[in-house]
Amino acid sequence: TALCWVEDASLLAVGTNDGLIALVDPFSLSSTSPSVQAHKSSILCLCTIPVRMCFGCDVVDIASGVISRETSIHLWSISARHIDRLGSLENSQGEVTAIASDPSGRVLYSGGHDHVIRLWDLRRMQCVRFLEDRNSSLGMHRGAITSLVAPTEN
């Protein structure tokens, strides 16, 4: 249910309805490694983290979010076409339905059913800001945030 390019567009990361993440060759559509049970339910969003700044390492490639009672965003490394979980961003108050990374790889944006856009500092692994409508208990949006586009470099 979600796709994103990894490794300079040589692979697709695919998130499925049953919570799996698989790496797929975009030309043959064959899996390049075993799938990983990433979440307990449908994966709705995946994004590439361009510069791989999390945890001070150089292997973080993707983030994933789901629609379920599970509210965390998981961070994954892809190394030698193998997927490993690195950690999670907690404190999201609702189901995560959209994520995007800025070009520097330092900030991740998330949105979901709680009608709030969160900005996550990937170096500190915490939410540093959120955007919501203070005049409404439902936030700025009347429905779930289903897509996000991060700012681009000038």
Side-chain angles (χ1 to χ4, degrees):
T1 60
L3 300 168
C4 74
W5 291 105
V6 292
E7 292 188 8
D8 299 324
S10 64
L11 291 175
L12 273 173
V14 178
T16 67
N17 285 333
D18 52 0
L20 298 173
I21 294 179
L23 297 178
V24 175
D25 180 297
F27 300 105
S28 69
L29 298 180
S30 62
S31 181
T32 63
S33 65
S35 298
V36 171
Q37 186 69 52
H39 294 275
K40 295 176 184 173
S41 61
S42 296
I43 297 174
L44 284 188
C45 48
L46 290 171
C47 81
T48 301
I49 301 171
V51 179
R52 306 172 186 128
M53 298 299 292
C54 298
F55 302 107
C57 66
D58 63 355
V59 294
V60 174
D61 280 301
I62 59 176
S64 62
V66 298
I67 184 165
S68 71
R69 292 178 190 236
E70 185 179 356
T71 60
S72 59
I73 298 167
H74 296 311
L75 302 172
W76 304 91
S77 71
I78 297 176
S79 175
R81 298 185 178 213
H82 188 293
I83 305 169
D84 292 305
R85 183 172 165 189
L86 290 177
S88 297
L89 301 173
E90 304 295 339
N91 297 331
S92 182
Q93 298 298 310
E95 298 160 339
V96 179
T97 56
I99 50 180
S101 175
D102 79 330
S104 74
R106 294 185 184 120
V107 177
L108 190 74
Y109 303 87
S110 69
H113 283 275
D114 64 352
H115 314 273
V116 175
I117 298 171
R118 288 180 171 70
L119 283 69
W120 300 89
D121 180 327
L122 292 180
R123 287 185 177 165
R124 295 187 295 175
M125 299 299 293
Q126 63 184 339
C127 181
V128 293
R129 190 169 187 189
F130 56 93
L131 307 171
E132 67 179 340
D133 184 351
R134 294 179 189 202
N135 297 321
S136 168
S137 62
L138 294 177
M140 292 175 59
H141 304 276
R142 299 224 182 265
I145 297 167
T146 58
S147 64
L148 290 169
V149 177
T152 59
E153 294 178 309
N154 293 337

